[in-house]
Structures are given as C-alpha cells and as structure tokens.
Amino acid sequence: MTTASRITLLRVLMIPVFMVFMYLSGGQSGLWMIIALAVFIIASLTDYVDGYIARHCNQVSNFGKFLDPLADKILVIAAMTMFCEWGMWPAWALMIVLTREFAVTGLRLVAVGNGTVIAAGWSGKVKTASTMVGLCVQMAFPGVEIIRYLVVGVVVVTTVYSGVEYFAKNWGCLWSKP
C-alpha cells in the first residue's frame, strides 16, 4: 500500500471520530464542536496531501482512485447528515448532493465500461473545496442562521453546476459502445 493510500485510509478512519464529536456537540458551539471541526479540517487537508503525494511521488493507484473520492463523499455527507438531523441543513439540499454524487459515479462507471476514464473536472474540485470550507464555517458558527443559508446556497449551486458540467461534457459516454 502506498503512502498516499495510507493517508486516504486515515481520512476514512477519521470519519467515525468526527461523527462522535459532532454527535457529542449536539449542534451547539463548544468544546465538542471545536474538536469535531479540528478533526474535519485535518481530514479535509489529507485530501490535498494524499493527492499531492500520489501525483508527485508516482503513487497513483487503482485503490487510491477508488478510495479517495469515496472518502471525500462520506466525510462531507457525514457532516451534512448531522446538520440535517439537527434541523440545520435542509433535507432537499442533502438530496441534491446525494443525487449528484450517485449520478456522476454512475456516469463514470458507464464510461469505464465503454473504455473511457472521466477525470475529475475543475468544477468538481471547486465543489469539493467550497463544500468542505463551507461546512467548516458552519461548524465554527453553528448558531448563525445567515451562515447556514450561505453555506447551503454555495454547496447547492456548486453541486448542481459541477453535476451539469460532468454530464454536458461526457453525455456521449452514455451512448457509446465498448
């Protein structure tokens, strides 16, 4: 297993730790939320670190290509789900995020079956970064309603935009034959 894959695996293992501290916080400012935020930030930063190491140290692997985006999705959805449980994140916004993730993953699977690899697009990277930063801001200020609205707005807009872009650029992958 490569160093990059180990770092990705560390991110996966940090998700339940993050969830425990989020749960203990009850959605309120305080020590547990600060610890949850710290764990989330560290986990988010490992996304950059593992990618950098994989690319610059020639450690790109199929395992990493599989686990890295999955770890990102699980981390982000874990935070959104906790906020949703506390009424601090609308369920419709969570469904938009989940729908986009399933749809893009399905598109990539069909494309691979047809011999095409769909690389991560710029808008997908912006979506991931803005979502992670937005969730950090929401964790830092959980009681500030305007921040919630802004974070949800940014996440929904970047999610929809990147999903539409993936399909617009790769629509033909659905119809081509291997």
Side-chain angles (χ1 to χ4, degrees):
M1 181 180 298
T2 66
T3 301
S5 292
R6 285 188 179 114
I7 293 170
T8 304
L9 195 54
L10 175 64
R11 182 163 68 256
V12 171
L13 295 174
M14 292 175 81
I15 294 168
V17 174
F18 163 72
M19 294 284 295
V20 166
F21 288 115
M22 278 290 279
Y23 178 78
L24 290 172
S25 78
Q28 304 297 314
S29 295
L31 178 63
W32 298 126
M33 184 63 83
I34 292 168
I35 294 170
L37 173 58
V39 172
F40 188 89
I41 289 170
I42 293 167
S44 297
L45 290 174
T46 65
D47 183 34
Y48 171 77
V49 172
D50 64 16
Y52 180 85
I53 290 171
R55 286 185 301 277
H56 289 84
C57 298
N58 198 26
Q59 294 186 7
V60 175
S61 67
N62 287 336
F63 179 71
K65 288 179 191 176
F66 164 74
L67 192 59
D68 182 65
L70 182 64
D72 294 343
K73 289 169 183 47
I74 295 171
L75 177 64
V76 164
I77 290 169
M80 289 179 190
T81 303
M82 291 301 295
F83 282 131
C84 194
E85 180 176 329
W86 296 322
M88 301 166 73
W89 190 272
W92 61 264
L94 178 59
M95 281 307 302
I96 287 172
V97 171
L98 288 170
T99 300
R100 184 261 185 213
E101 298 305 340
F102 282 122
V104 169
T105 299
L107 176 65
R108 283 187 164 142
L109 289 172
V110 170
V112 165
N114 291 332
T116 304
V117 175
I118 300 175
W122 179 83
S123 66
K125 292 176 189 274
V126 168
K127 184 246 344 155
T128 298
S130 61
T131 299
M132 287 179 170
V133 169
L135 289 170
C136 286
V137 171
Q138 190 170 353
M139 281 182 254
F141 304 100
V144 181
E145 198 168 332
I146 189 70
I147 288 178
R148 286 189 232 158
Y149 292 130
L150 289 172
V151 170
V152 169
V154 168
V155 169
V156 167
V157 167
T158 58
T159 296
V160 170
Y161 180 85
S162 69
V164 168
E165 183 183 64
Y166 270 97
F167 275 87
K169 286 184 175 180
N170 301 289
W171 188 251
C173 293
L174 292 173
W175 315 114
S176 61
K177 297 193 180 194

